[in-house]
Amino acid sequence: MARGVTAAAALLTGIVATGTFDTGGVNSTPNVIAAQWTAAERTGVGLAEAELRATEQAAARTTGSAPAETSGDPVEALRVAAGAHARSGGDPGRSSETAAEIAEAAVLVGRTLAAPAAGDAADDATEGGSVAEDLTAARTLLRTAGDASDATAATHAEDLATGSRSVLTGVVGTLATLLMLGVLVWLALRTRRIVNVPLLVATAMTGWLAYVSLNPAAVPVSVDGQVSGTAEVADALQHVREARAGQYAPVLGTTDTFATDGANAAEALGALDDPELSEAWEQIQAAQEDVAAAPDPAAAAEVLAGTQEAYAGLDTELSERLDGRLGAAASRVGLPAVVSSGLALLLGLSAAGLAWAGITRRLQDYR
């Protein structure tokens, strides 16, 4: 009984330490989590891009001007974001809600693009409502979906950084180590042999797995820096795009959220510790006073057009940084996580084998 219990305890610790299990049930393997985390990050920035592109296109139609050359197709941006969301995993129920929100936002965005341009009709009314109403509803849906995507990305990031095993492996590993120490003492008293070396080594392995689960920095293979650094860039790009969309409120007559959005963008850029990016955003943000003071939507749009080149440069810089980080996620994040999980399982198997062999040898001696 002692042999079977100690071997099972050591093996269970190794299995739990792979990160395949968490307190919510069976989890994905680390390389799959890395892919889902990448998709969730791309979903958030993609939804923010769709919001911005829809806003730019609606503003151009409202003022009768041509969209900026850097303005893309919001429907295509939504299609790409929906595809990324489908690969992002997360809670199935909330994931379905997010997919429905993206689909509904796509319908509203399509209506805003189909609205008559300035001068083509007496008003901007569409079949389902005004351009401003449709755009506001679409932005609300996209922000809600974006928040859900951010939460999913944060969950995956935590799973990658901790291996989904900090608490569970800490508990299982600690209990297994105490059990094996108890068997060591009992075996020594029972057989009048002080030390069982194989069982002692197995106990040390199990204890080390429990220690590492509570102190991930003890393992040289760490993905925390890669995950957090990439998340900061994605967060900055998402907030900057949302704030840029908020700048168009005076042009479209929508709810002005720039005060909050602009502050969030400045904070997110500050987290990157790059003065050039922060200064670029400060210059763009400073133009909002002139936008708000413009006598009509066309004048406000003209002020924003003057900052378009600066914004396009900031957006491109952040996008390239994010693409570079996410493009290397499979090798820099997924592979190390797989290696650490494989080592954990190998240690668990080895500890179980040593515990079995040690007690078998002592049983033979005792007989």
Side-chain angles (χ1 to χ4, degrees), residues 269-280 317 321:
L269 286 169
L272 299 181
D273 196 22
D274 190 323
E276 291 185 4
L277 295 180
S278 296
E279 290 175 7
E317 174 63 24
R321 288 192 186 189

Side-chain angles (χ1 to χ4, degrees), residues 247 278-288 307 310:
Q247 284 192 292
S278 296
E279 290 175 7
W281 175 248
E282 288 174 2
Q283 294 175 3
I284 298 168
Q285 191 174 21
Q288 192 61 21
T307 64

Side-chain angles (χ1 to χ4, degrees), residues 90-314:
D91 177 72
R94 186 63 188 97
S95 181
S96 298
E97 292 179 12
T98 301
E101 290 164 352
I102 295 174
E104 186 177 352
V107 173
L108 294 170
V109 169
R111 286 217 302 248
T112 63
L113 297 182
D120 292 345
D123 54 51
D124 65 351
T126 63
E127 183 180 347
S130 70
V131 168
E133 291 174 351
D134 285 343
L135 187 60
T136 298
R139 289 181 61 191
T140 300
L141 288 169
L142 292 175
R143 294 289 180 97
T144 303
D147 290 341
S149 178
D150 292 343
T152 299
T155 300
H156 291 328
E158 182 180 0
D159 288 344
L160 286 171
T162 65
S164 301
R165 57 182 178 261
S166 292
V167 176
L168 186 60
T169 308
V171 172
V172 173
T174 299
L175 292 177
T177 302
L178 292 175
L179 172 65
M180 295 170 76
L181 285 173
V183 172
L184 266 173
V185 173
W186 171 81
L187 199 60
L189 295 174
R190 183 71 173 175
T191 63
R192 300 182 181 180
R193 304 289 179 88
I194 298 176
V195 178
N196 186 315
V197 175
L199 182 57
L200 182 62
V201 173
T203 304
M205 287 181 174
T206 304
W208 186 80
L209 284 174
Y211 170 75
V212 169
S213 70
L214 301 175
N215 299 275
V219 180
V221 179
S222 177
V223 300
D224 183 59
Q226 291 290 338
V227 171
S228 60
T230 303
E232 288 177 353
V233 177
D235 189 52
L237 179 57
Q238 183 173 342
H239 282 302
V240 164
R241 285 174 171 173
E242 291 174 347
R244 181 62 174 178
Q247 284 192 292
Y248 284 89
V251 179
L252 296 166
T254 55
T255 304
D256 189 353
T257 61
F258 183 75
T260 301
D261 294 340
N264 291 338
E267 182 180 355
L269 286 169
L272 299 181
D273 196 22
D274 190 323
E276 291 185 4
L277 295 180
S278 296
E279 290 175 7
W281 175 248
E282 288 174 2
Q283 294 175 3
I284 298 168
Q285 191 174 21
Q288 192 61 21
E289 294 182 4
D290 296 332
V291 174
D296 54 58
E302 187 175 350
V303 175
L304 287 173
T307 64
Q308 183 62 29
E309 183 178 354
Y311 173 77
L314 177 61

